[in-house]
Amino acid sequence: MARSNTVLKRVSPLRLGLAIGGVLVAALLISETVMDRWSGLIQEGPLDPFARRPEGVLRDLRLAVVHCLLAGYLPAAFLYVLRSGRKTVFALQDALACTEEECRELAESIRFSRRGLLIAGLIGAAFSFVTPYLVPPVPESLWSPATWSAEVAWHRILGPIVGWWMVWLVYAVFSTSRRLSRLASRLSSVDLFDRAPLAPFTQQGLTNALMAIGFVSLSSLFLLETGMGNVAMPLGALTLFVAGAALVMPVRGVQQRISQEKESELTWIDAQLRDCRDVLRKSGKDRRVGAIADLAAYRGLVDRAPEWPFNTSTYLRFALYLLIPLGSWAAGALVERMVDRLFF
C-alpha cells in the first residue's frame, strides 16, 4: 500500500490523462493509416458539420476519437479527486487543530475499498454493454467481432473501459466527499462570521463538480453524431446532477456544524434577552434597554448568517462550470466545419 501511495504522489493527473489520450488517439490514427481507411473517408464526400449521417466510416472514427479522449480523461480525473481530497486535509490543519502527523494519517485515510471499486467498475462495464443498444441503427450482431469495422472495434473495446472508469470517478467523488464531510466533526471551532478557515471544504466541492462536468464536456461531443442523443443527453443530465451533489456533499458536515453553532448562539442570546427583560420589569428602569437593543440587533445578525459556506464567487464559478459542456460542443462543431473546408 505504501508503494502504491508513493506512485500516486509522483504521477501527475494532467500528464497521465494527456499520455493515455494521446497514445490512444495516435494509435487510432496510425491504425487507420496502416489499414488505408482514409480512402473510405474521402469516398463518403464532404463532412456534415452536424453529422446527419446515421452511419459511416467518418462517424465511427469520430466516435472512436471521443472514446479515446474519455479513456484518458477519466483515470486522470479519478486520480485528481483522490489527490485533491488528501490535500484538502492538510489545508484544514489549522481548523482541525491537528499535528502534521495527525493530518498525514487523516489524509491517508482517504482511500477507496477494493470491494467498492470492484462493484463500481462492474456497474460501469455493465452500463457500457447496454448503451450501444440505445443508438440507432442497432446491428443484429452487436457484440460479434466479425461484424465490427476497424473503427467500431475501438468503440466496443474502449466502451467497457470508459464505463468502468466513469463509475469509478463517481465513486471517488462521493467517497471522498463523504469522508471530508465527516471531518467537520473534528473542527476545533466554527466562527459564524469568519468562513475563511472552511474554504478548503468549498474548494473541494468545486473541484469535484469540475471533474464531473469535464466528463460531460467530452461526452457532449457525442451529440455531434446522429442518434447519440439517446445516450448522451440522459447521461449528461445524470452527470450534472452528480456535479451538483459533488459540490454539496463535502460541505454537508460543515453546514451541520454551522447550524448547530448558530442554534447554540441563538439560544444564548435568547437567554440573555430574557434576563434583561426580567430585570427591566422588576426594576422599572430603562438601564437595560440599551443592552436589549444590542442583543436584538446581534440576534438578527446571527439569524441572517448563512448556514452553507458558499459565497457569490462559489455560485458564479459553479455556473461557469456548467457552461463548459456547451462550449465544448460548440468547439467540436467549429473544428468539424474547419476540417471540412480545409480537406474536402
Side-chain angles (χ1 to χ4, degrees):
M1 181 64 70
R3 182 178 180 182
S4 62
N5 288 337
T6 302
V7 173
L8 287 177
K9 292 177 181 178
R10 292 179 178 178
V11 176
S12 166
L14 178 60
R15 292 181 179 178
L16 177 65
L18 291 176
I20 296 176
V23 168
L24 288 175
V25 171
L28 171 62
L29 297 180
I30 291 173
S31 67
E32 292 290 296
T33 302
V34 171
M35 291 183 290
D36 194 23
R37 300 290 293 177
W38 300 109
S39 58
L41 297 179
I42 297 175
Q43 291 174 3
E44 288 188 1
L47 298 176
D48 178 358
F50 298 97
R52 300 299 181 186
R53 296 172 181 167
E55 55 188 346
V57 178
L58 176 60
R59 177 179 186 271
D60 291 336
L61 176 61
R62 289 184 302 205
L63 290 176
V65 170
V66 177
H67 277 82
C68 292
L69 296 178
L70 288 173
Y73 174 81
L74 289 170
F78 174 86
L79 179 58
Y80 190 79
V81 167
L82 174 61
R83 183 171 295 179
S84 62
R86 292 178 175 177
K87 287 183 178 180
T88 298
V89 176
F90 287 102
L92 290 168
Q93 183 174 357
D94 293 338
L96 295 172
C98 60
T99 63
E100 187 76 20
E101 183 62 28
E102 290 172 338
C103 270
R104 186 176 295 106
E105 292 179 359
L106 288 174
E108 292 298 328
S109 69
I110 299 180
R111 61 172 65 95
F112 312 126
S113 70
R114 294 181 179 179
R115 180 181 180 183
L117 288 174
L118 177 60
I119 294 175
L122 291 176
I123 292 174
F127 176 79
S128 69
F129 278 102
V130 174
T131 51
Y133 291 99
L134 304 177
V135 182
V138 180
E140 295 182 359
S141 303
L142 183 64
W143 291 102
S144 174
T147 63
W148 299 349
S149 66
E151 296 77 21
V152 171
W154 285 82
H155 309 172
R156 300 294 180 258
I157 295 173
L158 289 180
I161 297 175
V162 169
W164 185 286
W165 279 102
M166 177 188 69
V167 182
W168 264 25
L169 177 59
V170 174
Y171 175 80
V173 166
F174 279 83
S175 180
T176 302
S177 300
R178 185 174 63 253
R179 292 178 184 273
L180 287 175
S181 180
R182 291 175 181 173
L183 286 181
S185 62
R186 302 174 61 100
L187 292 172
S188 56
S189 62
V190 174
D191 191 335
L192 294 177
F193 308 108
D194 182 15
R195 305 298 175 85
L198 307 178
F201 287 103
T202 303
Q203 182 58 47
Q204 182 63 40
L206 286 170
T207 297
N208 290 346
L210 181 60
M211 293 300 101
I213 292 173
F215 171 75
V216 178
S217 299
L218 289 177
S219 299
S220 67
L221 297 176
F222 283 132
L223 293 176
L224 295 172
E225 311 302 333
T226 302
M228 289 301 297
N230 296 343
V231 176
M233 294 296 286
L235 183 60
L238 178 61
T239 309
L240 290 177
F241 170 78
V242 172
L247 174 66
V248 171
M249 286 187 64
V251 301
R252 178 58 180 166
V254 174
Q255 183 270 333
Q256 292 175 345
R257 282 293 305 272
I258 294 175
S259 179
Q260 293 170 1
E261 184 67 22
K262 187 174 179 178
E263 185 66 27
S264 176
E265 193 73 359
L266 289 174
T267 300
W268 177 83
I269 295 173
D270 289 340
Q272 296 299 311
L273 283 170
R274 285 193 297 269
D275 291 342
C276 289
R277 179 199 61 190
D278 293 343
V279 171
L280 181 62
R281 283 180 174 179
K282 291 179 181 179
S283 64
K285 299 179 180 180
D286 61 355
R287 60 182 180 178
R288 290 281 180 166
V289 172
I292 291 177
D294 292 340
L295 285 171
Y298 179 57
R299 192 186 193 286
L301 189 63
V302 171
D303 190 51
R304 290 191 299 270
E307 294 187 2
W308 292 93
F310 298 145
N311 53 30
T312 304
S313 175
T314 303
Y315 294 117
L316 180 60
R317 289 176 62 183
F318 184 69
L320 290 176
Y321 289 169
L322 294 178
L323 295 177
I324 295 176
L326 180 61
S328 175
W329 180 86
L334 179 61
V335 169
E336 188 175 13
R337 186 181 293 271
M338 291 174 60
V339 172
D340 179 19
R341 292 182 176 180
L342 288 174
F343 297 102
F344 292 88

